[in-house]
Amino acid sequence: MFLPPRRPTIEGTRIFLTTKDKPMQVASSIFKAYDIRGIVPATINEAMAEGLGRAFGTVARFEGETCVAVGRDGRLSGAAISAALRRGLVAAGIEVIDVGMVTTPMLYFAASTLCNSGIQVTGSHNPKDYNGFKMVLAGRAIYGDEIQSLRSMMETEGWTLQAGGTQREVDVFEAYRDRIVGDVKLARPMKLVVDSGNGVAGASAPAILRALGCEVTELFSEVDGNFPNHHPDPSKPENLRDLIQALKTGDAELGLAFDGDGDRLGIITKEGNNIYPDRQMMLFARDVLSRVPGGTIVYDVKCSQRLAPAIQAAGGKPLMFKTGHSLIKAKMKEINSPLGGEMSGHIFFKERWFGFDDGTYAAARLLEILSRSRHASKVLDELPTSFSTPELNVLCEEGEPHRLVKQLVAQAAFDAPAVVNTIDGLRVDWPDGFGLIRASNTTPVLVLRFEGRTDAALQRIEAAMMALLKSVKPDAVIQQAAH
């Protein structure tokens, strides 16, 4: 990524600024592997957001990008943070398209149709006092070193200010809705309960599902950054209780839940069963591969061992890859994959769509498939499943997880037929299940997941993997992932 000169110079209207006497104060902890996230106002505030706008605008212009779309989710701090970000972009000479309060996928849509770059102000599924930024530059989700380069530019104030920046507002809802409704066709109307958890998806998803022909009972659609009913994170069972209860007492055939910024989807059957994302991928892969025979389907190391055979049975090529929504998207682009997904709930459709993760679009594609059957829940419940743990965490010191994983990989000695995969941590597959220990790229924890075809297999695999972990970290204590 481009870093401009650090000595002050002036070239016409272009000004290179560095104020080493008063360097900008930014907390290094907010610059994560795939995005920027922190607590408002301690580490995420208006000054930081304006600095990010200046830095991002500088990099965008260097890459030939003159236009950046900006959106925000429903968090209480979003309006002020977004305004500051836009000020910074304008100061860098950028044409800013303000799409207002939208889901992250709607911002991605704007950055795919109105321009090539965009920033969403979002705290995703984090607690209500958090906020952050997800960024697209010249058509790619930026991550890793590119995010650290933005940090460096902000710390040195080495950005470029340029005249000519502008702002305008654009409402993308109708174009986004029409693009989905024009693409997805249901074989019959369906009755749904939709729980948006007071996240920003409540302002758009129910209306789009109705436009597809569904009858929708809404739960917590009012956008409220206090999240007064439950937290908008469908990966946590406690956040699905209201949805399950509504399915039990009403006549809806399916329940859908969205996370705080609308890029992930939770699915609950009539009987109250949670269809986890790796099982969703089995259904989506079968459908996509019927039109893209031989396609390569990308999924992350946390997904079920049963996913690869399901992809192969549908005529596709399974490709296990590293966890991280930006990494999956980049890999899909590299190999021209029609579909990708993560156990965390991010589903990426390139076939018929733009390749970004989108909870509303994933819901539409799900309903298109299920509407062909009279018994939607039966189709979902019949997807292959195993005994498995939820995602588990082991708390570590800062910097410890990656060191521990290196030790684990070096010490791993499993007899055949075990197969060891080290693409992202240590994953060991047996014929009847798998175990995974990897380092999180966003927080100082080890991420663990275990699966078995039988409960006995699950217990055996978990014991073997935990014995290995205890050999390098005797004080390891397992807890359920906080997400």
Side-chain angles (χ1 to χ4, degrees):
M1 179 173 282
F2 170 70
L3 287 176
R6 295 186 176 181
R7 293 182 178 178
T9 63
I10 297 178
E11 303 173 16
T13 59
R14 182 171 295 184
I15 308 170
F16 294 98
L17 292 179
T18 303
T19 53
K20 289 193 175 181
D21 294 337
K22 295 180 179 180
M24 184 174 190
Q25 299 298 309
V26 288
S28 61
S29 61
I30 66 176
F31 296 88
K32 309 295 185 182
Y34 318 120
D35 53 30
I36 298 173
R37 272 181 288 130
I39 297 173
V40 178
T43 56
I44 300 288
N45 50 53
E46 291 179 51
M48 177 270 158
E50 186 165 353
L52 176 63
R54 292 180 173 201
F56 189 92
T58 297
V59 173
R61 291 196 66 87
F62 181 76
E63 295 205 8
E65 297 290 310
T66 59
C67 180
V68 176
V70 174
R72 62 180 175 88
D73 68 13
R75 288 178 181 257
L76 302 176
S77 60
I81 298 294
S82 174
L85 174 69
R86 298 194 310 271
R87 284 197 301 272
L89 288 165
V90 169
I94 294 294
E95 176 195 349
V96 177
I97 300 177
D98 177 14
V99 296
M101 189 175 72
V102 295
T103 63
T104 294
M106 289 172 72
L107 180 277
Y108 292 156
F109 177 80
S112 299
T113 58
L114 300 177
C115 54
N116 297 313
S117 300
I119 304 177
Q120 175 78 347
V121 178
T122 175
S124 188
H125 56 271
N126 289 106
K128 68 179 184 179
D129 56 343
Y130 277 69
N131 218 326
F133 308 87
K134 293 182 179 179
M135 297 165 285
V136 177
L137 176 63
R140 68 184 187 277
I142 66 169
Y143 60 92
D145 289 344
E146 290 191 299
I147 289 177
Q148 294 305 319
S149 291
L150 287 172
R151 168 191 165 189
S152 297
M153 187 181 293
M154 292 170 68
E155 289 173 338
T156 61
E157 300 189 8
W159 46 59
T160 305
L161 300 190
Q162 183 168 320
T166 62
Q167 283 195 68
R168 61 188 173 99
E169 295 180 4
V170 176
D171 185 343
V172 298
F173 172 73
E174 289 188 6
Y176 175 74
R177 178 200 62 201
D178 292 349
R179 177 65 175 77
I180 294 176
V181 173
D183 174 70
V184 176
K185 302 300 178 188
L186 273 58
R188 63 176 178 85
M190 296 186 69
K191 288 189 176 182
L192 313 172
V193 180
V194 175
D195 185 344
S196 299
N198 299 108
V200 71
S204 57
I208 291 171
L209 296 172
R210 287 193 179 97
L212 287 169
C214 296
E215 183 179 321
V216 179
T217 299
E218 298 183 43
L219 298 179
F220 318 131
S221 291
E222 181 184 359
V223 181
D224 184 346
N226 287 305
F227 307 127
N229 295 289
H230 63 73
H231 202 65
D233 183 359
S235 70
K236 310 298 285 182
E238 62 267 25
N239 297 326
L240 299 170
R241 291 174 187 151
D242 296 301
L243 184 59
I244 291 170
Q245 183 60 30
L247 285 164
K248 284 181 179 178
T249 57
D251 62 351
E253 56 188 311
L254 194 68
L256 303 176
F258 296 100
D259 76 335
D261 65 332
D263 59 7
R264 294 187 297 142
L265 172 70
I267 302 170
I268 301 294
T269 67
K270 178 67 176 174
E271 294 72 28
N273 298 325
N274 191 343
I275 306 301
Y276 288 100
D278 49 0
R279 294 180 76 200
Q280 297 174 27
M281 281 291 291
M282 298 175 193
L283 189 69
F284 290 137
R286 192 188 305 160
D287 178 64
V288 168
L289 290 166
S290 70
R291 293 179 298 276
V292 189
T296 299
I297 309 300
V298 183
Y299 58 95
D300 79 319
V301 294
K302 293 190 288 187
C303 286
S304 170
Q305 190 183 66
R306 291 184 177 266
L307 179 54
I311 292 168
Q312 290 169 328
K317 300 169 187 170
L319 178 62
M320 186 188 297
F321 198 59
K322 301 173 185 178
T323 291
H325 67 91
S326 298
L327 303 178
I328 295 283
K329 278 184 272 199
K331 190 64 176 179
M332 288 178 64
K333 201 168 187 177
E334 175 192 333
I335 65 173
N336 195 29
S337 166
L339 175 70
E342 287 190 287
M343 188 62 197
S344 62
H346 296 273
I347 307 292
F348 315 88
F349 286 92
K350 179 60 178 174
E351 189 246 0
R352 294 165 48 186
W353 195 239
F354 298 92
F356 56 72
D357 36 337
D358 187 336
T360 300
Y361 184 73
R365 290 287 289 261
L366 173 79
L367 298 174
E368 183 178 65
I369 297 167
L370 297 180
S371 69
R372 300 168 192 153
S373 169
R374 292 183 60 194
H375 305 288
S377 289
K378 186 170 182 286
V379 173
L380 294 170
D381 286 329
E382 287 177 348
L383 293 168
T385 190
S386 292
F387 293 84
S388 64
T389 65
E391 183 179 318
L392 305 170
N393 287 170
V394 172
L395 287 174
C396 299
E397 297 297 321
E398 197 71 46
E400 187 183 17
H402 288 280
R403 177 176 58 78
L404 289 171
V405 166
K406 284 183 180 178
Q407 291 179 260
L408 291 169
V409 169
Q411 294 187 26
F414 295 96
D415 295 331
V419 177
V420 174
N421 185 316
T422 59
I423 191 170
D424 185 3
L426 177 67
R427 174 165 166 153
V428 185
D429 280 80
W430 287 269
D432 57 352
F434 81 91
L436 171 71
I437 305 175
R438 62 176 292 273
S440 169
N441 287 316
T442 55
T443 52
V445 300
L446 290 172
V447 176
L448 286 65
R449 190 166 189 247
F450 309 113
E451 176 183 275
R453 299 291 174 98
T454 64
D455 187 53
L458 172 61
Q459 301 304 323
R460 186 194 81 243
I461 290 167
E462 184 170 352
M465 297 294 286
M466 286 306 300
L468 177 62
L469 176 58
K470 292 277 189 179
S471 74
V472 300
K473 186 174 174 61
D475 62 342
V477 177
I478 287 183
Q479 59 185 31
Q480 190 161 337
H483 285 288

